[in-house]
Amino acid sequence: LNPGVRVRDAIAMAGGFKHYAHMTIYLVRGNNENPTVQRVDMKKILLGEDLSQNVMLAARDALYVAPLKMWEVSDFIATLLLPIVSIRDTVFMYDRLSGD
């Protein structure tokens, strides 16, 4: 990132929030031996209620955006159903190609 980038800017540069992103994000600073974690409420930043949380990012900072629980469950179910859907689609295509 270029110097002077704030949390909100970094989120925007990454494509913004999707419908499955939690509005509370975590800013991880420091090194592997002594990291610090700061909770950032993006909703308050975006509404202009607490701009002090829109901190300037430094080199080696990391932002973690957690998914909403609903989407974690959805992804889990989709993973379970993937083999079943693949078999169904294979059988469907075989029937169409073989002319039976």
Side-chain angles (χ1 to χ4, degrees), residues 28-81:
V28 182
R29 290 193 150 158
N31 55 29
N32 291 343
E33 292 81 32
N34 191 22
T36 60
V37 179
Q38 177 183 345
R39 193 172 151 184
V40 178
D41 188 344
M42 280 302 296
K43 189 174 183 180
K44 288 185 177 182
I45 292 173
L46 295 174
L47 293 175
E49 294 175 358
D50 186 3
L51 296 178
S52 68
Q53 294 189 46
N54 192 23
V55 296
M56 188 92 52
L57 297 176
R60 297 187 176 258
D61 282 354
L63 293 173
Y64 174 72
V65 180
L68 293 173
K69 293 292 182 194
M70 175 180 62
W71 289 101
E72 288 177 354
V73 171
S74 173
D75 288 344
F76 176 72
I77 292 171
T79 302
L80 288 178
L81 292 178

Side-chain angles (χ1 to χ4, degrees), residues 81-96:
L81 292 178
L82 183 61
I84 297 168
V85 171
S86 297
I87 291 170
R88 181 204 64 193
D89 293 347
T90 302
V91 170
F92 176 76
M93 289 303 294
Y94 176 78
D95 289 345
R96 304 258 340 219

Side-chain angles (χ1 to χ4, degrees), residues 10-37:
I11 295 293
M13 290 166 48
F17 280 102
K18 303 297 181 196
H19 57 279
Y20 52 84
H22 201 283
M23 292 299 280
T24 300
I25 63 174
Y26 298 92
L27 170 61
V28 182
R29 290 193 150 158
N31 55 29
N32 291 343
E33 292 81 32
N34 191 22
T36 60
V37 179

